[in-house]
Amino acid sequence: MNTQETIELFDKYVISNYGRLPKAIVKGEGCYLYDADGNKILDMFPGWAVSGIGHCHPKVVEAIRNQAGQLLHIDNTFYSEPQGQLAKLLSERAFGGKCFFCNSGAEANEAALKLARLYTSGEKYKFITAEGSFHGRTFATVTATAQPKYHEGFLPLLPGFSYVPFNDIAALESAFTDEVAAVMVEPIQGEGGINIATAEYLQAIRQLCDEKGAVMILDEVQTGIGRTGKWFGYQHSDVIPDIITMAKALGGGVAIGAMMASDEISASLVPGKHASTFGGNALACSEDVAVIETIEKDGLPANAVQNCKYIVYKINQLKQKYLYNDNYLGVVLIIDL
Ligand code: PLP
């Protein structure tokens, strides 16, 4: 099928809830995509930040092939080694917590919010999130997402959420009542426009959570798995959160989400309180072990820092060239580097 035929198929049978580019993709390799009409495309945002080590990395494909011939899925009534191995790799690269596996970033955040309520014994029920945040599209996570455009059409949202301006410590302090069960923020707001949480802000969240007995949740769905130059975004500060959530690049192309909580907090998640049918399935986990091992072996977090410097340098050159050039009308570079 060419692109036009695929589009016609979609028009007839697929709900149109995405604004799609008119290209049907048939193959991915490294940082390139190939469309159904034979065009090669440089993919600058692979899979919405999922394919962090490139499309169809050979090690990942090999892990999927091996696992597919062995066991695809086993329900969580049983133990399976890939899930345990993946949890170990993640725990060792973060703060030594324990993992719950699910299938997406929103599900990981749902799990984190539910666990915070469980841990604070239901006496505390409120959540604070930051304006400009993005935490997902389920009812709880879209409520946590403090951007009105995502709320339109879904009111009333879940009760108990309040929003504060990002990086504003005074606003956080005044919103922090005794009923607050958790604060959830991104170390770097992705959808909100690449806003970086200051070290002081993360420290203030940590301190207030400790003082009030609340849970500090960091949404690392965009910032996790080496994308910022460290395994997790919080590692650029000296703050250790209680819970982190991850998805996207963790999967390397296969759907997975994970929530990691400290030993003490994770103990509240006992059988019957939360679950996922596909969460932690053997195929996704063995593939993700390959993702983590590849990132480590190839030194990709350091590579991200190096490439970042190069990109910033090049964009600055463009800024010099075009920003003050009268002949170049129509484009304004608004990147403040
Ligand atoms: N959290 C953050 C920071 C995100 O950027 C996203 C998705 O863009 C999500 C959560 C939701 O992840 P998913 O689309 O896998 O549910």
Side-chain angles (χ1 to χ4, degrees), residues 23 75-76 83 94 100 120 191 223 226 228 263 337:
K23 296 221 167 284
D75 52 82
N76 282 302
Q83 185 176 147
F100 163 82
T120 54
E191 302 279 325
T223 49
T228 68
D263 260 7
L337 297 164

Side-chain angles (χ1 to χ4, degrees), residues 5-336:
E5 287 160 346
T6 310
I7 290 174
E8 281 160 21
L9 198 62
F10 268 56
D11 285 348
K12 209 160 172 200
Y13 297 110
V14 180
I15 294 177
S16 341
N17 61 315
Y18 298 100
R20 296 181 200 268
L21 298 171
K23 296 221 167 284
I25 305 301
V26 292
K27 186 180 158 168
E29 193 174 35
C31 57
Y32 291 103
L33 295 173
Y34 298 82
D35 74 9
D37 306 313
N39 299 305
K40 184 178 179 182
I41 301 157
L42 175 63
D43 191 357
M44 304 284 283
F45 188 37
W48 291 350
V50 164
S51 311
I53 58 172
H55 293 282
C56 298
H57 191 286
K59 288 280 173 215
V60 168
V61 173
E62 186 190 352
I64 291 174
R65 285 208 172 105
N66 289 343
Q67 188 61 45
Q70 184 76 22
L71 176 71
L72 287 174
H73 169 78
I74 183 66
D75 52 82
N76 282 302
T77 321
F78 296 96
Y79 294 91
S80 78
E81 186 180 331
Q83 185 176 147
Q85 291 294 0
L86 179 60
K88 177 173 185 279
L89 289 176
L90 293 173
S91 180
E92 287 169 352
R93 278 149 194 79
F95 50 82
K98 287 189 171 148
C99 293
F100 163 82
F101 291 102
C102 48
N103 313 286
S104 68
E107 282 178 61
N109 287 334
E110 282 277 346
L113 294 169
K114 285 180 75 179
L115 176 54
R117 283 249 178 110
L118 281 177
Y119 175 69
T120 54
S121 318
E123 285 164 18
K124 296 175 182 288
Y125 66 97
K126 290 191 174 168
F127 298 111
I128 299 176
T129 62
E131 287 170 9
S133 57
F134 188 87
H135 298 297
R137 303 286 198 146
T138 61
F139 247 107
T141 59
V142 85
T143 307
T145 295
Q147 296 196 57
K149 67 178 179 189
Y150 292 115
H151 297 167
E152 278 166 25
F154 301 112
L155 302 178
L157 298 171
L158 258 61
F161 284 79
S162 55
Y163 311 127
V164 291
F166 191 59
N167 270 337
D168 185 334
I169 296 175
L172 180 70
E173 281 168 349
S174 53
F176 219 119
T177 60
D178 288 340
E179 294 82 38
V180 171
V183 177
M184 181 160 76
V185 295
E186 296 149 83
I188 302 173
Q189 289 189 334
E191 302 279 325
I194 319 297
N195 306 314
I196 303 173
T198 62
E200 297 75 42
Y201 190 55
L202 294 178
Q203 280 154 7
I205 298 174
R206 180 68 279 169
Q207 196 181 332
L208 284 162
C209 286
D210 288 345
E211 281 168 17
K212 302 268 190 183
V215 176
M216 177 174 183
I217 304 170
L218 291 183
D219 178 339
E220 296 259 13
V221 169
Q222 287 242 16
T223 49
I225 318 298
R227 295 188 71 234
T228 68
K230 305 237 182 215
W231 277 102
F232 295 98
Y234 79 85
Q235 291 166 337
H236 292 277
S237 75
D238 59 3
V239 168
I240 310 268
D242 297 309
I243 297 181
I244 54 174
T245 57
M246 56 203 115
K248 289 196 183 277
L250 172 63
V254 171
I256 190 165
M259 173 196 66
M260 185 188 299
S262 68
D263 260 7
E264 183 190 331
I265 292 177
S266 61
S268 299
L269 206 55
V270 293
K273 290 296 182 195
H274 198 57
S276 166
T277 297
F278 285 112
N281 69 78
L283 185 75
C285 287
S286 55
E287 185 251 10
D288 298 336
V289 165
V291 169
I292 304 283
E293 286 174 350
T294 303
I295 291 175
E296 190 126 283
K297 188 171 148 291
D298 294 354
L300 295 185
N303 186 61
V305 174
Q306 207 49 41
N307 281 340
C308 172
K309 284 186 189 148
Y310 176 73
I311 289 167
V312 169
Y313 169 73
K314 284 304 218 186
I315 291 178
N316 265 328
Q317 279 187 333
L318 289 174
K319 199 172 160 184
Q320 296 288 325
K321 188 170 173 192
Y322 292 119
L323 196 56
Y324 306 110
N325 183 345
D326 289 345
N327 297 327
Y328 193 81
L329 298 174
V331 173
V332 180
L333 275 179
I334 52 165
I335 304 159
D336 186 9

